[in-house]
Amino acid sequence: MSEYRTERDSMGELKVPADALWGAQTQRAVNNFPISGQPMPAPFIRALGLIKAACAQANRDLQLLDDARADAIAEAAGKVADNRYDEHFPVDIYQTGSGTSSNMNSNEVIARLADSKGQLGVHPNDHVNMSQSSNDVIPTAIQVSACLQASEHLLPALKHLHSVLEKRAGELSGVAKTGRTHLMDAMPVTLGQELQTWAAQIRSAYRRIQDALDRMRRLPQGGTAVGTGINAHAEFGERVADHLARTTGFEFVSADNKFEGIASQDVAVELSGQLKGLAVALMKIANDLRWMNSGPLAGLGEIELEALQPGSSIMPGKVNPVIPEAVCMVAARVMGNDGTITVAGQSGNFQLNVMLPVVGATLLESLEILGNASRLLADRAIATFNVREDRLGEALCRNPILVTALNRVIGYEKGAAAAKQAYAEGRPIIDVAAELTDLSREELEKLLDPLKLTEGGL
């Protein structure tokens, strides 16, 4: 058997690996774009399969495609959607800006799978791509894959992280510690309040992402080449969206204005911006954990993160905060990805954006790594750290800023003098205040109770 077979398209003949399911147009793309060695990600291939199946079903519903071909295409596309043939999608991310190569890759693979015996005459363009253009298929694939990756992967991970934060916040609601502003000692808070703050950040990020998905679910499929819907039935887009919604359980709908979804990637830019917001929150949380864990002797030493691996190849016994560090790197990557998507989002003229593949691949990477990092942060850092209450108590009793609670009684100026003296002499503020004021020790203990001060108010 020959190592290659000969395929033909409108530009002529060329050789294709004998066992490849793709055809001539895919092979041209493989030859033309040896850039990164990175094909489009699996969630994107899944979305292409789902879309092609939905399109075949819609064309059958509208009596544009016979039952035999429609069923065969839908079945083959379903296998693609199950990611059973990802190795037959070799086209590089960095390809033609419309993603035509990836669209034709899916058309050729599905046509060959649907007509493996050569009895139906399934054509990649005439049948698999019926009523479609790369210009509406690829933007739709970006939106479908992002919606599914967000709803099935990222949002459940954020729910889990939020749940773990809430649980630990409840457990630590009675543990007071020195608060910090400008990295300097401030009024006390509880560890529970600190974790509740992180939980609120994650909850807000979750809601912002959900809100962005509301616009991402409005699909441009049916707009075909430029948004007018040329060569597609007027009901085609709605029927495709209905089939996708039934298949996936996600509430996809047909966009009212399909020109927008083809000409722009504003929805992807919006979602990416919300992912960047989440990355900022995760980096803040991870850095707080690193500071609290710092030491164990020369740093804050407030908590001990779970020891997961040796921290040095030369310093025995050293253990590092590896999970927060990994989360920070994920956050940095997502922030960079947002810059890529921002540039790509404005890279089109008139009726078509021409950086679609990099938008799709980059957005999906952000969704994937944010979901993974969120679960790791929850399970290997938040859920498992130990509190060093001795260190917390030691710092609290020496915190002169507690004198703020005496402002109403002794005034700001006398409070400042007491704080400075306590700093200078390294003495607890309660001892200095007892000398400088007429308040009894009992009154001072009541006014300067750190846990009570975390409740706020007068």
Side-chain angles (χ1 to χ4, degrees), residues 283-296:
M283 183 172 274
K284 195 270 186 200
I285 295 167
N287 278 329
D288 282 354
L289 286 166
R290 292 168 68 199
W291 273 105
M292 293 160 68
N293 180 74
S294 61

Side-chain angles (χ1 to χ4, degrees), residues 274-447:
Q274 302 302 356
L275 298 182
K276 180 177 71 173
L278 170 61
V280 168
L282 290 175
M283 183 172 274
K284 195 270 186 200
I285 295 167
N287 278 329
D288 282 354
L289 286 166
R290 292 168 68 199
W291 273 105
M292 293 160 68
N293 180 74
S294 61
L297 300 179
L300 297 182
E302 295 181 345
I303 64 170
E304 291 177 345
L305 291 169
E306 180 184 359
L308 295 172
Q309 62 187 61
S312 174
S313 61
I314 191 171
M315 294 178 280
K318 194 171 189 294
V319 178
N320 298 328
V322 292
I323 296 299
E325 288 173 354
V327 170
C328 285
M329 286 189 280
V330 165
R333 178 71 173 197
V334 170
M335 293 173 198
N337 284 353
D338 181 63
T340 297
I341 292 169
T342 299
V343 172
Q346 58 84 52
S347 296
N349 303 104
F350 303 110
Q351 278 69 59
L352 183 66
N353 180 284
V354 290
M355 286 199 184
L356 296 176
V358 79
V359 169
T362 308
L363 189 61
L364 289 170
E365 181 190 40
S366 291
L367 289 161
E368 174 73 15
I369 61 179
L370 282 170
N372 293 340
S374 296
R375 286 193 179 275
L376 278 176
L377 187 66
D379 295 338
R380 306 305 298 271
I382 304 295
T384 58
F385 73 75
N386 295 316
V387 179
R388 298 180 65 185
E389 295 195 43
D390 56 333
R391 289 291 291 262
L392 295 179
E394 180 185 351
L396 263 178
C397 74
R398 293 187 293 107
N399 182 5
I401 302 302
L402 294 179
V403 77
T404 303
L406 305 182
N407 280 358
R408 292 181 297 107
V409 181
I410 66 174
Y412 184 92
E413 296 300 335
K414 186 173 285 189
K420 289 178 182 178
Q421 184 174 335
Y423 270 128
E425 298 175 0
R427 298 167 61 199
I429 189 65
I430 191 169
D431 294 343
V432 175
E435 296 173 1
L436 297 182
T437 72
D438 296 330
L439 296 170
S440 68
R441 188 82 181 186
E442 184 180 1
E443 289 175 302
L444 287 171
E445 287 177 352
K446 183 177 180 181
L447 289 168

